[in-house]
Every structure is written in structure tokens, then in C-alpha cells.
Amino acid sequence: MTKAYELMEHHNNIVRGISKFLHLSILNDLNKCKKLGETDISNDIPPELKNHISHKDLYLIQCYYAANATLFVTTEREIFDFLSHFSQFDIKCALRDDFLAEYLGEKGAEF
């Protein structure tokens, strides 16, 4: 959440606008966003998965499991490639730009 709030004050008007949209239309909508606290985050991640995801990105996988998510959206090609090729982890994964193109295509009439 801190990153989203910081971007609301970004010097670039486009980044600032997108961040405000994220905050107002997604982060505050309980149907679109589940907020997790530290006590919600699980360390019960399969060791094979834990060993292949960088330490700095491991929290993303922890949040995926804690939220009982059905889709993992990332900008990290390395994570996407790894998760896409190892179905034993049962994590449906999409790259952010692909996800947004599909999502906005479906929701385009609402905007």
C-alpha cells in the first residue's frame, strides 16, 4: 500500500492519475482488493517454490496464498516464466500488461 500512496504524489501526472485510480477504484473496493496484515501472511510455501523465487519477491507469493487468490499478476518476467512452466504449484499467472489489456477490454464499456 505504501508504494501506491507514494505514487499518488509522483511528479508525472499520468503516474499520479493511475495511482489515484488504483486507490479509489480498486484498493477501496472490497470486491476487488483484500487487504492483508502481517498476521495473515503465511510462510507455508512449498520449498521448491520458495527456493526459486527471489527473497525480495517472496512476499508476493505469500500474499497470493494468504488471499486465496485465483490469479497472480506480475511485471516480473522471471516469476511469470517460472510459475507458468511448473503447474505443480497450481498458480495461474499473468503478466500485468496482458492482464490489463484483457481486463480493460472486458470492462471498457464501464469507463
Side-chain angles (χ1 to χ4, degrees):
M1 293 289 281
T2 303
K3 289 181 184 178
Y5 288 120
E6 287 174 1
L7 290 174
M8 290 177 71
E9 298 179 358
H10 197 275
H11 68 277
N12 182 310
N13 288 337
I14 294 171
V15 171
R16 196 168 50 244
I18 291 170
S19 176
K20 287 180 181 180
F21 172 78
L22 170 70
H23 177 73
L24 297 173
S25 298
I26 297 175
L27 297 179
N28 285 334
D29 185 337
L30 297 178
N31 293 317
K32 296 178 182 175
C33 181
K34 180 175 182 178
K35 296 178 183 175
L36 302 171
E38 285 188 38
T39 57
D40 299 317
I41 305 300
S42 171
N43 286 319
D44 293 338
I45 296 174
E48 304 85 14
L49 181 56
K50 204 174 202 177
N51 293 335
H52 286 90
I53 302 295
S54 73
H55 181 69
K56 71 177 182 65
D57 294 326
L58 195 56
Y59 78 98
L60 298 169
I61 301 296
Q62 291 171 314
C63 290
Y64 174 89
Y65 281 114
N68 294 314
T70 57
L71 180 64
F72 183 85
V73 179
T74 183
T75 59
E76 302 290 332
R77 173 57 82 166
E78 185 177 328
I79 294 173
F80 173 79
D81 289 343
F82 177 76
L83 293 175
S84 296
H85 291 96
F86 292 95
S87 60
Q88 74 263 28
F89 300 122
D90 198 30
I91 297 177
K92 183 179 177 190
C93 188
L95 289 169
R96 180 202 56 205
D97 292 347
D98 296 338
F99 168 78
L100 287 175
E102 182 178 333
Y103 179 81
L104 293 175
E106 291 174 3
K107 304 289 184 183
E110 295 178 23
F111 293 105

